[in-house]
Amino acid sequence: MTTPPMIRVVPPLQAESRPAQDQLLDGRTLIIASNRGPVTFTLEEDGSFSSRKGSGGVVTAVSAIARNRQPVWIAAAMTEGDRARAELAQQNGEGLISPPGDAPEFRLRFVVPTAESYHSYYNEISNPLLWFLQHYLWDTPRSPDITAATWKAWHEGYVAVNRLFAEEILAACSHCEQPPVIMLQDYHLYLCAGFIREQDPEAIIQHFVHIPWPDPDYWRLLPMTMRRSILEGMLGNDIVGLQTPSHARSFMYTCEAYVPGASVDYAGFSVEWNGRRTDVRSYPISVDTAAVRRAAYSKEARSHDRYLPNHWNEFTVLRVDRAEPSKNIVRGFQAFDRFLEAHEEFQGRVNFVAITVPSRMDVEEYQDYLDDVSAVVGRINAKYANVETGWQPIHMIMGENYPRALAAMKWYDVLLVNSIIDGMNLVAKEGALLNERNGVLILSEGAGAAIQMGDDAIMVAPADIEGTADAIYQALTMPLAERRHHADRLRRTVEDDDVAEWFRHQLDDIAARALGNAEVAAAEQGILDSKGSSSAD
Ligand code: GDG
């Protein structure tokens, strides 16, 4: 049986002097939904729960506004501890879970799919299919193969888990007197807005996509049913946010190409479909500058300051990434090899330190990629290692340790960010903020960060090994005054536009949209006067 759509009387927002954003959020429940939650729980031996807060940009951005708003966060239960905590909440009839602490910044609701369904959604569709598609990662004569198993994973994994998310979100706002504000995150949840919209026509729904949006031709690698479900699901949103204007345009091209009846206004950045308008916007994400600085100079980070210098040399090139094919780690090392070949005078004097965080090890392509990375490092180190001095050119530091990664960023001479394509790339921003040596940024043209930082970086085409080798040489030989000039400008770029701005711009647009929706609702309720202005004007 389908539940009838929720109906509320929507009060128009009042004209007053406070920012529209504050007015809008008054009395409205703010719901954030993401695959990974802001907190993970561990069930301790004594039966109690401990929790650990995540360190991602979205968590810190939301935390910054959360103290007053108490948003509700909907996330998948990812650990045994999360599942146990969700079960306890259900037994106790706790609608929302408050993480331990006197004033928790948000309350939680977990989505608890079966292990098989979650595996299909995460390890078969979201990461190997959607992430690969959106980063142009396929060797297309060979992959992807959409088989019966893929379709099963789509229906029983991706569609099913998106439905569960929508149900939890609707349940979280079932008693809301005013339409809630729902902010969905990333490629795991493309179907959610469509499912929510079927039940709640008045909710204000916004979806931010953290990764690139490819052009329509590449989307054709997915079958039409999947492609259309994703796009039509996304057109259930009031606002779709992407990292850059070019990804926003690609989203609109894709809607025009594959959604029958969609009408795109490229100048106005919006898509009309099924009687609704979806605004398409770009919001370049950034870092929480204060929190990143705090973490980089924390006691824990300082403990790494003692042994990290063992890896430094007269010159140090640094990279920090998840072990992720889109980050282009192998080509980065090949470029360093070419640089050492072409500039023998640097042999013995420069180290390439690669801080690598293992990622998505349940996906075969990631295991294979890490093998490729290890193989190229072994080959290059064997080629140049100097037995007399003990010098080896590449130092791999593996493992999950965020304070250590930030500690290392203080000391590089060159930061290499050569992603094939990247939504933004926060390492480029953290490095610019923290570096104390007037370090030079080498930045891929494919990183979203290139739009804001490209003028003060040495830009490289990601497949250009020879060009990247030249860029390393140029960076290491750049005069100090020039390095300082660019490093100062890069730091200011990040300081002037941190993650709070990213979040504020989205809330401003949501507020503007809510004002618009309230006017439409008022018109529908016959409240407009004969001149066509409502009390919200
Ligand atoms: C996606 C998009 C977009 C480093 N070591 C550890 C650790 N880090 C931090 C880095 C940085 C973050 O992880 C990685 O962020 P990136 O932006 O570089 O890359 P993705 O993970 O691919 O993020 C990307 C981003 O979303 C935000 O929208 O910029 O384009 O692909 O902050 O310093 N974090 C943890 N442990 C470590 O050991 N937890």
Side-chain angles (χ1 to χ4, degrees):
M1 193 184 85
T2 48
T3 330
M6 292 181 188
I7 306 288
R8 300 181 194 88
V9 177
V10 188
L13 295 178
Q14 300 301 313
E16 45 167 286
S17 54
R18 285 186 313 141
Q21 189 191 106
D22 286 355
Q23 275 195 67
L24 165 87
L25 290 176
D26 281 350
R28 294 192 191 220
T29 305
L30 175 62
I31 296 177
I32 316 277
S34 59
N35 174 60
R36 189 179 293 275
V39 167
T40 48
F41 286 89
T42 306
L43 180 56
E44 302 295 344
E45 279 176 6
D46 66 0
S48 67
F49 285 93
S50 60
S51 70
R52 214 174 127 210
K53 194 173 156 189
S55 57
V58 180
V59 179
T60 44
V62 176
S63 303
I65 60 118
R67 279 164 213 110
N68 312 325
R69 309 278 180 207
Q70 282 256 304
V72 174
W73 204 306
I74 316 277
M78 296 190 69
T79 63
E80 278 308 315
D82 291 349
R83 275 186 282 276
R85 186 64 188 85
E87 205 177 309
L88 179 71
Q90 204 180 18
Q91 283 164 11
N92 295 348
E94 274 173 280
L96 295 169
I97 300 170
S98 292
D102 291 341
E105 287 151 356
F106 21 71
R107 293 157 302 153
L108 273 172
R109 261 181 106 101
F110 279 122
V111 171
V112 192
T114 63
E116 300 77 47
S117 174
Y118 187 81
H119 176 79
S120 298
Y121 145 90
Y122 191 70
N123 291 324
E124 293 182 81
I125 302 294
S126 298
N127 289 332
L129 207 58
L130 297 178
W131 177 280
F132 267 58
L133 178 108
Q134 294 193 240
H135 290 85
Y136 296 91
L137 286 179
W138 282 315
D139 176 9
T140 51
R142 294 183 184 79
S143 63
D145 290 338
I146 307 290
T147 62
T150 323
W151 278 107
K152 188 166 184 289
W154 171 259
H155 289 297
E156 295 175 16
Y158 197 77
V159 177
V161 175
N162 268 261
R163 255 195 206 288
L164 285 183
F165 262 94
E167 283 165 12
E168 285 299 329
I169 292 167
L170 286 162
C173 53
S174 59
H175 302 296
C176 300
E177 285 175 8
Q178 293 197 48
V181 172
I182 300 167
M183 299 178 81
L184 306 167
Q185 304 295 318
D186 234 353
Y187 58 101
H188 314 88
L189 302 181
Y190 287 148
L191 310 183
C192 246
F195 293 149
I196 297 168
R197 193 57 82 199
E198 286 167 10
Q199 303 298 320
D200 192 341
E202 295 156 350
I204 298 175
I205 319 178
Q206 190 250 25
H207 192 134
F208 183 76
V209 182
H210 291 251
I211 63 177
W213 196 277
D215 290 330
D217 282 345
Y218 204 68
W219 277 98
R220 206 174 290 115
L221 290 164
L222 279 194
M224 183 56 114
T225 308
M226 292 185 194
R227 226 183 298 161
R228 267 186 62 185
S229 302
I230 288 171
L231 292 165
E232 293 179 2
M234 291 294 275
L235 292 177
N237 286 288
D238 292 293
I239 305 175
V240 168
L242 296 118
Q243 300 268 24
T244 67
S246 94
H247 297 151
R249 270 190 297 275
S250 295
F251 178 81
M252 294 189 290
Y253 295 141
T254 317
C255 290
E256 185 168 58
Y258 301 126
V259 181
S263 154
V264 177
D265 173 359
Y266 288 101
F269 275 85
S270 68
V271 182
E272 292 264 355
W273 179 71
N274 216 7
R276 294 190 56 82
R277 187 185 90 233
T278 300
D279 296 322
V280 185
R281 298 283 179 266
S282 58
Y283 307 102
I285 199 168
S286 190
V287 294
D288 180 336
T289 49
V292 165
R293 280 199 171 112
R294 257 197 319 276
Y297 293 93
S298 63
K299 205 169 154 208
E300 197 182 342
R302 282 178 186 282
S303 72
H304 297 290
D305 287 347
R306 277 199 291 280
Y307 79 90
L308 274 174
N310 296 337
H311 299 289
W312 306 156
N313 200 338
E314 183 183 342
F315 301 101
T316 302
V317 179
L318 178 74
R319 72 175 307 136
V320 176
D321 344 61
R322 288 184 297 107
E324 157 67 57
S326 67
K327 304 292 180 186
N328 210 15
I329 301 170
V330 170
R331 284 202 193 86
F333 290 141
Q334 289 168 336
F336 190 57
D337 178 13
R338 275 296 298 139
F339 158 77
L340 290 172
E341 246 172 30
H343 303 282
E344 286 180 20
E345 70 279 16
F346 276 98
Q347 290 181 22
R349 296 168 58 203
V350 54
N351 288 2
F352 190 148
V353 179
I355 299 192
T356 309
V357 186
S359 175
R360 302 176 189 169
M361 284 293 128
D362 292 337
V363 179
E364 199 183 323
E365 285 83 352
Y366 285 75
Q367 296 163 14
D368 294 348
Y369 192 68
L370 197 52
D371 290 346
D372 292 350
V373 168
S374 304
V376 77
V377 171
R379 186 181 62 69
I380 296 170
N381 276 346
K383 178 172 168 187
Y384 294 99
N386 184 325
V387 278
E388 279 160 29
T389 61
W391 177 71
Q392 61 169 38
I394 301 177
H395 292 225
M396 288 286 286
I397 302 177
M398 291 281 286
E400 159 101 31
N401 193 327
Y402 183 55
R404 178 177 64 191
L406 295 181
M409 290 181 204
K410 293 185 266 187
W411 299 109
Y412 63 76
D413 298 291
V414 177
L415 179 66
L416 179 60
V417 175
N418 65 325
S419 326
I420 294 167
I421 185 164
D422 218 327
M424 178 55 53
N425 196 288
L426 296 180
V427 171
K429 295 194 168 182
E430 290 161 340
L433 187 72
L434 296 174
N435 187 257
E436 294 179 3
R437 292 170 61 92
N438 299 302
V440 179
L441 174 63
I442 299 180
L443 184 57
S444 164
E445 291 170 352
I451 294 183
Q452 293 163 303
M453 308 180 85
D455 285 350
D456 291 292
I458 302 178
M459 300 299 292
V460 289
D464 185 1
I465 293 171
E466 200 59 25
T468 307
D470 288 346
I472 294 172
Y473 178 71
Q474 199 189 326
L476 288 175
T477 53
M478 190 181 284
L480 177 61
E482 200 179 327
R483 281 167 39 195
R484 183 176 293 142
H485 168 77
H486 291 302
D488 286 347
R489 282 173 45 104
L490 285 172
R491 188 179 318 105
R492 276 201 299 278
T493 300
V494 180
E495 282 169 345
D496 291 349
D497 193 24
D498 91 345
V499 76
E501 285 293 289
W502 170 77
F503 203 68
R504 195 180 57 74
H505 286 310
Q506 292 175 71
L507 290 178
D508 283 347
D509 286 351
I510 288 170
R513 186 60 198 253
L515 281 165
N517 288 359
E519 283 172 10
V520 171
E524 281 168 1
Q525 290 164 28
I527 298 171
L528 278 184
D529 65 23
S530 58
K531 294 193 192 95
S533 63
S534 77
S535 58
D537 286 337

